[in-house]
Amino acid sequence: MLVFWKERLVFLAVPKTGSSAYEAALKSRASMSVMDPPELKHAPIYRYNRFFRPMFEKAGADNMETLAVVRDPLDWLGSWFRYRKRPFLNGKPASTAGVDFEDFVLAYMKGDKPPYANVGSQAKFLEPRPNGVRINHLFRYENQPALQQFIESRLNVTLDLPKTNVSPEMDLTVSTETEKMFRKKCANEYEVWESGS
């Protein structure tokens, strides 16, 4: 999470949406950068609303706006799948070693997900709160030019994004039947993604 106090903007870091590159490029420009622990670095809107927003308001910023990035849901799962294939997770329940992408997607759709497929939800991360707190500026991961233009204009900076946290390339195909099932079962994920700029 990056906080730009003067510009009244909070960049919430949805996991697996390229937030590490933006953090690397902008953390020296930010008034506050929350890098650890992961529960705070990747604070969803409900955690921002409960903990950070009240603190900011007490310090005089009752008009902070929020920014986030959302990724195509199947592509987002592909990024998690590849990340969890890394050797440092071998032998751990979260590892996807020995699992193909099709099985990973099927496991993600289960009510009781195995640990390797329990990666959360972008829709839940970005879910508006009953008090009206929501993401003000939502960009699709696939539309980097719009996101970068917004950030450069809002913060009066020129971005030079490094490549960070890049997972290895691998086959991420699923059957047509599985993709149809995923799109139906995870329709809310697609609704959120499609609502981004």
Side-chain angles (χ1 to χ4, degrees):
M1 178 194 303
L2 296 172
V3 179
F4 303 96
W5 188 259
K6 289 177 185 171
E7 294 82 5
R8 296 295 194 254
L9 183 68
V10 179
F11 192 158
L12 296 182
V14 180
K16 314 313 292 171
T17 61
S19 58
S20 295
Y22 285 94
E23 285 168 356
L26 294 168
K27 67 182 174 185
S28 65
R29 172 67 176 72
S31 306
M32 178 190 299
S33 96
V34 182
M35 309 305 280
D36 277 309
E39 293 80 13
L40 294 181
K41 173 183 177 177
H42 295 293
I45 195 73
Y46 69 84
R47 196 169 290 138
Y48 166 77
N49 181 54
R50 185 170 178 193
F51 299 107
F52 292 96
R53 182 192 54 78
M55 178 177 60
F56 296 157
E57 287 183 357
K58 282 182 183 173
D62 57 358
N63 56 347
M64 294 293 268
E65 293 183 357
T66 53
L67 162 69
V69 180
V70 64
R71 190 169 183 168
D72 172 274
L74 201 54
D75 189 42
W76 183 74
L77 280 187
S79 184
W80 271 114
F81 174 75
R82 291 181 297 136
Y83 177 77
R84 291 191 162 189
K85 275 262 194 239
R86 290 180 171 184
F88 76 91
L89 285 173
N90 285 351
K92 295 180 181 168
S95 174
T96 53
V99 177
D100 66 22
F101 187 54
E102 177 104 7
D103 289 335
F104 179 77
V105 173
L106 291 169
Y108 179 79
M109 289 189 279
K110 291 181 178 177
D112 187 18
K113 298 171 180 46
Y116 66 81
N118 192 7
V119 296
S121 157
Q122 293 182 104
K124 188 72 179 163
F125 187 106
L126 300 166
E127 187 176 51
R129 307 316 304 148
N131 65 353
V133 172
R134 62 182 182 82
I135 296 297
N136 302 106
H137 307 281
L138 183 64
F139 291 89
R140 290 187 195 181
Y141 171 86
E142 297 77 11
N143 190 4
Q144 291 295 316
L147 171 61
Q148 290 174 25
Q149 181 180 12
F150 173 82
I151 291 172
E152 289 183 340
S153 174
R154 182 72 177 254
L155 302 180
N156 195 26
V157 296
T158 301
L159 284 172
D160 182 18
L161 294 175
K163 291 248 183 206
T164 62
N165 206 17
V166 179
S167 298
E169 291 296 320
M170 58 188 67
D171 180 41
L172 296 175
T173 55
V174 295
S175 67
T176 304
E177 183 181 330
T178 295
E179 183 172 354
K180 274 187 194 173
M181 192 186 322
F182 177 72
R183 285 181 172 271
K184 185 175 181 181
K185 189 162 180 85
C186 299
N188 61 331
E189 302 290 335
Y190 281 95
E191 285 171 18
V192 170
W193 177 65
E194 287 165 3
S195 73
S197 297

